[in-house]
Amino acid sequence: MASEEGETTPVSTADESTSGTEVTSTVVESSGKDEGGESVVVEVQGGSSSQEGAAPKVEAGEAAGVEDEEGDVLPWERKGEEGEESAAPLDIEAYIKEILDAEVGISEELKRELNALNERLAKDMYDTSAWPAVLKLGERSGNLAFRRQCYERFLKIFPASSSYWKQYAEMEVKHKHFDKAHVLFSRCLYKCPSVDLWAFYLTFVKGLHPILNKYKKGEVPTFEIGEYDLARDEVIKAYDLAVEVIGKDIYSSQIWIDFIRFLRGEKGTNDYDQGQLVSKIRSVYQKAVVTPMQNLDTIWKEYEQWEAGLDKTLADAMMKQIGPNFKRALAVFKERLPLWQQLAPEGMLAHPPRGTEDERQQMKRWAAVFAYEKKNPLGLQFKPRKEYINFVYEKYLCQFYFFPQAWHEAALWRAECRSSNVIGQGAGGGSNVAIAEEMLKVLKRGIEANPSSVLLRLAAADLLENNKMLKEARTMYEEAVADCSSPLCALQFLRFVRRTESAKAARKEMTNLLKSGNASVVSWELYVGYSHLEFYLNGEKDRAKGIFDIGMKKFSTVPQFVLEYASFLEKLNDDRNVRSLFLRVIDDTLAQKQEEEKKSITADPQESTVRTLKLYYDHFIAFEQRRGDLVACLKAEMRRQEAFPEEEEFKTDALLNVANRYKFLNMWPCSDFERSLMGGSVPSPSTPRMSGGVQSTVAAPSHASLLNPHARAVPLQTPSLPGSSGMSSSSAGGQSIPASTSSAAMSVDAPLRKDATALKGATIVKGPQPNANQSAPAQALPLGRAPPVAVPPSDAHLGRVPQEVPFRLMPDLPPLLKAFAVSLPPPAMYRGPKVNVDELVHILRIARIDRSYILSADNEIRRDDGRDTYKRRREDDLPPYDYVPPTGADTFKRRREDDTPPFASPPADVYGRRQMQRGPG
């Protein structure tokens, strides 16, 4: 290891700050010699089209929002001068394989720690806490080859992690492996639009040219002036590329400042060269001051001083011309900054979706960023606007690298840009294909990042098929079946072949899938799906039945497949085979249940077996109710009773069986209340029903249980009847539970009564009190809740009366109004005309009420004698705003307060005039 590491020379890097503080970068001064004293060759030709290597020129440029123009390549990717032979591109895959296959030696202790970490990664390859530990382990080993292996393994999983690419490159530069650092930069710079990463790259490029510092000190002889010019041009091109790719970032001000300082620190070798240098400085300043970023006002002031130092008159003209654009850029930066500050830090590792609230919030914040940027606040032309939003999407993808939705959104944006570009150029019929190809580039990158994503692959195949690119679409489907091992991919592939080629070709592909023996692909879902394809699309019922028969040999113990087969046979009106199928699977499951009972005498059989048996019986009895006669239905019920003698609800003489026998859809021969008394479940309207019309015995989860998986479902409580000792039947198994209240017990709770009786002697009219003869008193209701009201049994079996009304929350009302509101029946009991509440409240507000009559403490109405015995409402009790009634239909003309008095007689009041003529009496 001593020979491999040798002496190390630390490299100072520019630590970019995102808080707006100015940071000075240090130029690396390297001797350009390796450990053996020989010169280091840094002319490495980067670039490869492999997955791990640098992306091809077109894709790399587009990935970072850079157009495919000449000169937009990394310095080491430039082709040789005319007549100069260019080196062959480096094979990145072979390069990485060589690193991973290298034999390394580490201590036994580190091996044990590494094995423990590998076990964690085998369970979750995206473990964001285990991978940093692996890298720390490599650093502790002191073995450079082992550290490279750790970094390569890590970056294969997290290729968009800019901070770890930077650490990897720093390690190579520290050990003076400049050629390997070149390769790393070619692999990561376009993938990761990171200010820190690009700043380190620029520092690295400047450090490769020590002649720049020698020229400043006057140590360069005349015959080396040409070498100095080449070195300076090399650094300027690197800076030009950096500001074009990453200079759009609002935190990239330090790169602009370093670029300007580098240019201002250089001197031309002659007058012409000095003039070119001044023009370059002016160009960089003018680009910087119109780019929204931090320290923009500082750069503007420096530019003013620099121009004034050259020519005051020209400086004033320049400032007047560029000033409005600078002010707009500064305003846009102030608007952008709050949006970008709420995003996650750049160095965080991407991970697959976990369904956390933080992920949802981050997606919403990025959506707000895109919504703002797509408004084009800078008023950019099409091309620079497209480049900037492409750049924003690349940063978005670095954070949500494993989110298919993020890749699809980026693809849609590329399609939108391509569509606008094609329309602007007046292109013809080939525009749809061009748009599809633009989207496909992004979707393929997303598939490479998420190889197990079925959704992205199907979206890409759908795009190809829609644009008549059938060969490419078939290839996409075949890759999806091979890589994802999903029966859904296989089924959609068969449907694609059927609709684009023929039924015969689809059968051939199904045969190939069956011969493959891939259990994760050839599942019971594939058999069911392909059988439906033959039956519905090809009209081949015999072939469809044959697929089910073959599947029964493999999936006879899978209830879902058996029920699908029974449903299919019923569609064929093959009642005989349906009965035979149910009897066979019921006998097999019953035998399995009895065998499990023998093996565990004291314990109950497996819950799955009992649940499956009940499920088969439910569907079998439902089938007999639909297709058989009464004798067959009773026989099926008798078989279930023999299988479950302890279940009361399964007895053939139970009235609930009669109700189940003669129901249809949601219509029952009894009310829900009566059914609950018989021990049946009363589902909510949203309770899902299983195929064949059989109601699922599994209760539908409530909203609370969906949010909290540990929450227990509360059975529906029904009002207790007189003489029932305050007990009512539960909907879950028929267990008796204490009734929370009875239909006759509508009294107000204790805290409400206490508040109400304190109202200056005013009496509250209460509802009927509970029967004193009941064994259990009715429980008081919670504050602000109405008691449950049972639905009348009339017409309940026809489904025209709503279910039992749940508790409803009352608003924060005064005690007297709250007592009145609690005593009201639920809204479902109201059958009268509907009242427009807003209009009613408005009429009450503008009405002139005679307040000379008040209510005394003894509930007697007396006239006000003028004394201050009537306490009027204070102004601070009124609402803080004036009520404005909503506008209604044109047929109702609302009366305003500034119009005629609210009770003035209409102009043609004939009845009123007659009464006035008659006089009193």
Side-chain angles (χ1 to χ4, degrees):
M1 290 307 301
S3 62
E4 186 173 24
E5 294 189 8
E7 298 180 358
T8 60
T9 303
V11 177
S12 302
T13 62
D15 188 10
E16 292 293 316
S17 173
T18 58
S19 61
T21 57
E22 183 176 343
V23 182
T24 304
S25 62
T26 305
V27 177
V28 180
E29 296 189 13
S30 174
S31 61
K33 303 254 182 147
D34 62 0
E35 298 87 340
E38 297 180 359
S39 300
V40 177
V41 179
V42 295
E43 297 179 359
V44 177
Q45 298 295 327
S48 173
S49 60
S50 64
Q51 294 182 357
E52 292 298 323
K57 176 62 191 69
V58 174
E59 293 185 8
E62 291 173 353
V66 180
E67 293 297 319
D68 305 334
E69 298 176 356
E70 187 177 358
D72 290 343
V73 293
L74 298 177
W76 58 85
E77 292 179 333
R78 295 192 325 277
K79 295 181 179 180
E81 300 293 338
E82 186 174 357
E84 185 178 325
E85 185 178 355
S86 178
L90 179 66
D91 188 351
I92 299 297
E93 284 187 351
Y95 173 77
I96 296 173
K97 187 176 184 303
E98 181 182 354
I99 292 177
L100 295 176
D101 293 344
E103 295 183 1
V104 296
I106 57 176
S107 64
E108 293 297 329
E109 181 182 357
L110 293 179
K111 285 183 179 179
R112 287 192 296 270
E113 294 183 23
L114 182 62
N115 292 335
L117 292 172
N118 286 335
E119 291 178 0
R120 291 174 55 185
L121 295 174
K123 298 177 181 178
D124 180 12
M125 62 184 298
Y126 302 102
D127 190 337
T128 54
S129 61
W131 278 112
V134 171
L135 299 180
K136 289 289 185 183
L137 189 66
E139 184 178 357
R140 286 167 48 198
S141 68
N143 190 322
L144 196 59
F146 178 64
R147 292 184 65 182
R148 288 194 186 106
Q149 290 184 354
C150 294
Y151 274 114
E152 291 294 345
R153 288 180 57 201
F154 171 82
L155 294 171
K156 186 176 181 180
I157 306 297
F158 302 98
S161 177
S162 59
S163 59
Y164 288 94
W165 279 107
K166 181 186 173 187
Q167 291 180 16
Y168 192 6
E170 285 175 342
M171 181 193 75
E172 298 292 2
V173 173
K174 179 180 178 181
H175 295 88
K176 299 182 181 180
H177 297 295
F178 301 130
D179 53 343
K180 296 183 182 298
H182 271 305
V183 176
L184 289 178
F185 284 127
S186 69
R187 294 167 57 192
C188 68
L189 281 179
Y190 281 123
K191 288 182 179 179
C192 308
S194 167
V195 173
D196 291 343
L197 184 61
W198 276 90
F200 178 70
Y201 160 68
L202 294 172
T203 304
F204 169 72
V205 172
K206 289 186 293 185
L208 293 179
H209 302 287
I211 193 173
L212 298 175
N213 292 331
K214 290 182 180 180
Y215 183 80
K216 293 179 183 179
K217 299 176 182 179
E219 300 175 359
V220 178
T222 306
F223 63 87
E224 293 185 1
I225 293 297
E227 183 181 351
Y228 162 75
D229 290 338
L230 292 176
R232 187 185 64 184
D233 292 344
E234 196 83 12
V235 175
I236 290 176
K237 288 180 180 180
Y239 267 113
D240 283 335
L241 181 61
V243 297
E244 186 172 1
V245 175
I246 202 67
K248 310 175 186 70
D249 198 302
I250 64 171
Y251 302 117
S252 63
S253 58
Q254 193 58 46
I255 290 181
W256 288 95
I257 292 173
D258 289 344
F259 190 14
I260 293 170
R261 288 178 179 173
F262 173 78
L263 293 174
R264 293 182 64 176
E266 297 298 317
K267 296 180 181 180
T269 55
N270 51 53
D271 293 341
Y272 174 79
D273 191 26
Q274 184 64 28
Q276 293 294 319
L277 191 60
V278 170
S279 299
K280 183 65 177 179
I281 296 173
R282 179 178 289 114
S283 174
V284 175
Y285 263 128
Q286 292 179 356
K287 289 180 181 179
V289 296
V290 296
T291 302
M293 59 181 170
Q294 286 182 338
N295 301 325
L296 187 59
D297 49 353
T298 303
I299 299 176
W300 173 260
K301 293 177 181 178
E302 289 184 2
Y303 178 45
E304 282 185 320
Q305 296 174 359
W306 183 79
E307 284 284 8
L310 296 178
D311 189 335
K312 180 63 175 177
T313 304
L314 180 62
D316 294 339
M318 288 286 187
M319 299 305 108
K320 186 176 181 181
Q321 180 182 359
I322 306 176
N325 293 334
F326 159 72
K327 292 179 181 178
R328 175 185 288 187
L330 188 61
V332 170
F333 165 72
K334 293 180 179 179
E335 293 174 355
R336 279 180 182 171
L337 187 59
L339 297 174
W340 284 86
Q341 284 179 335
Q342 63 183 352
L343 301 177
E346 189 176 85
M348 291 185 62
L349 283 179
H351 55 76
R354 297 172 179 170
T356 62
E357 184 61 27
D358 182 64
E359 291 174 348
R360 295 188 180 93
Q361 292 299 325
Q362 283 295 316
M363 294 286 281
K364 290 180 180 179
R365 292 166 185 170
W366 275 104
V369 171
F370 288 120
Y372 173 77
E373 298 299 347
K374 289 180 181 180
K375 294 178 182 177
N376 197 10
L378 279 176
L380 301 174
Q381 297 295 325
F382 172 77
K383 181 179 176 180
R385 174 175 175 264
K386 167 193 166 185
E387 291 178 357
Y388 178 73
I389 299 182
N390 283 350
F391 167 77
V392 177
Y393 266 110
E394 289 301 321
K395 295 186 74 70
Y396 173 56
L397 292 174
C398 286
Q399 180 176 348
F400 294 99
Y401 191 77
F402 302 106
F403 282 63
Q405 179 183 349
W407 291 99
H408 192 258
E409 290 175 2
L412 290 178
W413 163 250
R414 293 296 181 87
E416 181 182 345
C417 291
R418 184 69 180 181
S419 177
S420 302
N421 195 16
V422 168
I423 293 173
Q425 294 177 359
S431 59
N432 289 336
V433 176
I435 293 171
E437 291 176 349
E438 196 72 24
M439 289 186 65
L440 196 61
K441 290 178 184 178
V442 182
L443 290 178
K444 285 184 176 179
R445 290 177 57 203
I447 293 171
E448 182 182 344
N450 303 271
S452 62
S453 174
V454 177
L455 185 59
L456 280 178
R457 293 179 183 270
L458 293 180
D462 186 60
L463 178 67
L464 292 169
E465 182 183 356
N466 191 40
N467 288 275
K468 310 301 180 183
M469 304 167 69
L470 300 182
K471 184 178 180 180
E472 293 81 358
R474 183 185 177 96
T475 303
M476 183 63 67
Y477 273 116
E478 291 173 348
E479 292 176 354
V481 174
D483 297 341
C484 298
S485 297
S486 168
L488 179 60
C489 287
L491 179 59
Q492 296 306 324
F493 173 51
L494 295 175
R495 294 173 65 88
F496 164 78
V497 174
R498 165 63 181 79
R499 65 176 174 263
T500 59
E501 297 180 23
S502 64
K504 184 177 180 180
R507 294 187 188 111
K508 181 179 178 181
E509 294 298 338
M510 179 63 180
T511 304
N512 294 336
L513 289 173
L514 295 178
K515 290 180 179 179
S516 66
N518 191 342
S520 58
V521 174
V522 186
S523 64
W524 69 267
E525 293 95 342
L526 181 63
Y527 278 86
V528 173
Y530 184 69
S531 178
H532 288 175
L533 185 149
E534 288 285 2
F535 181 67
Y536 291 108
L537 298 182
N538 300 336
E540 298 283 350
K541 64 178 183 180
D542 293 335
R543 289 182 181 273
K545 186 175 181 300
I547 293 295
F548 271 115
D549 290 338
I550 297 174
M552 276 298 295
K553 298 177 182 179
K554 298 177 62 177
F555 308 109
S556 59
T557 57
V558 180
Q560 297 91 333
F561 180 80
V562 173
L563 295 179
E564 289 289 345
Y565 189 17
S567 177
F568 172 76
L569 292 174
E570 188 175 350
K571 292 174 184 176
L572 298 180
N573 293 323
D574 193 355
D575 295 351
R576 180 179 178 181
N577 279 329
V578 173
R579 290 190 182 92
S580 175
L581 175 64
F582 272 122
L583 292 175
R584 181 174 56 169
V585 297
I586 285 175
D587 290 342
D588 293 344
T589 310
L590 188 59
Q592 182 181 356
K593 174 176 176 290
Q594 293 173 354
E595 184 179 354
E596 291 174 352
E597 289 176 345
K598 292 179 181 179
K599 290 182 179 180
S600 54
I601 300 176
T602 58
D604 293 333
Q606 294 292 329
E607 182 184 358
S608 60
T609 305
V610 176
R611 186 166 57 248
T612 300
L613 188 58
K614 289 183 178 180
L615 186 64
Y616 285 153
Y617 272 121
D618 288 343
H619 282 265
F620 183 36
I621 293 172
F623 165 75
E624 293 292 358
Q625 291 171 356
R626 292 192 305 270
R627 310 293 290 255
D629 53 14
L630 182 59
V631 176
C633 187
L634 291 175
K635 285 183 179 179
E637 293 177 359
M638 182 64 70
R639 289 175 61 92
R640 183 174 63 179
Q641 181 182 354
E642 292 175 356
F644 300 99
E646 69 283 356
E647 300 284 350
E648 294 291 334
E649 59 178 319
F650 290 163
K651 291 184 177 180
T652 55
D653 57 350
L655 188 59
L656 182 61
N657 283 338
V658 179
N660 286 321
R661 193 177 304 148
Y662 293 105
K663 75 176 182 67
F664 180 72
L665 298 179
N666 289 330
M667 297 185 294
W668 290 78
C670 59
S671 66
D672 290 344
F673 174 68
E674 293 171 340
R675 186 152 40 108
S676 65
L677 291 179
M678 292 183 285
S681 60
V682 183
S684 63
S686 60
T687 300
R689 298 182 180 273
M690 303 183 68
S691 61
V694 180
Q695 179 183 317
S696 174
T697 58
V698 182
S702 62
H703 293 290
S705 64
L706 292 176
L707 296 177
N708 181 11
H710 303 289
R712 297 179 59 187
V714 181
L716 178 65
Q717 298 179 0
T718 55
S720 60
L721 297 176
S724 62
S725 301
M727 306 295 289
S728 63
S729 179
S730 167
S731 62
Q735 297 179 358
S736 297
I737 57 175
S740 61
T741 183
S742 69
S743 59
M746 300 179 64
S747 61
V748 188
D749 57 347
L752 185 57
R753 290 197 300 269
K754 181 178 179 181
D755 294 339
T757 53
L759 291 176
K760 294 186 178 181
T763 302
I764 300 176
V765 180
K766 302 177 181 178
Q769 299 300 314
N771 189 354
N773 297 326
Q774 292 181 353
S775 59
Q779 299 177 1
L781 293 175
L783 181 63
R785 291 179 179 263
V789 179
V791 178
S794 60
D795 292 339
H797 59 287
L798 299 180
R800 291 196 291 265
V801 177
Q803 301 280 337
E804 181 172 332
V805 181
F807 292 123
R808 61 188 187 278
L809 291 174
M810 293 295 175
D812 190 10
L813 299 174
L816 186 60
L817 291 180
K818 187 177 294 184
F820 171 71
V822 170
S823 65
L824 292 176
M829 304 300 296
Y830 182 71
R831 295 292 185 270
K834 302 298 181 183
V835 179
N836 191 328
V837 179
D838 294 331
E839 295 177 3
L840 177 62
V841 173
H842 176 61
I843 292 173
L844 293 177
R845 285 185 62 88
I846 67 175
R848 295 183 178 179
I849 302 176
D850 186 2
R851 301 192 180 189
S852 59
Y853 293 92
I854 63 174
L855 182 67
S856 63
D858 52 358
N859 291 342
E860 294 181 357
I861 298 177
R862 62 181 178 83
R863 188 171 183 83
D864 191 359
D865 56 1
R867 292 177 295 176
D868 192 17
T869 58
Y870 185 83
K871 188 174 183 180
R872 301 183 181 277
R873 181 178 303 206
R874 296 174 298 174
E875 290 184 1
D876 54 1
D877 291 334
L878 294 175
Y881 54 86
D882 294 332
Y883 176 81
V884 180
T887 57
D890 295 339
T891 56
F892 180 80
K893 185 176 181 181
R894 302 180 182 275
R895 189 188 302 275
R896 297 177 299 177
E897 291 186 334
D898 55 356
D899 288 341
T900 57
F903 295 105
S905 300
D909 190 1
V910 180
Y911 178 77
R913 289 201 301 269
R914 289 178 180 175
Q915 290 295 332
M916 293 179 64
Q917 291 174 1
R918 289 183 182 180

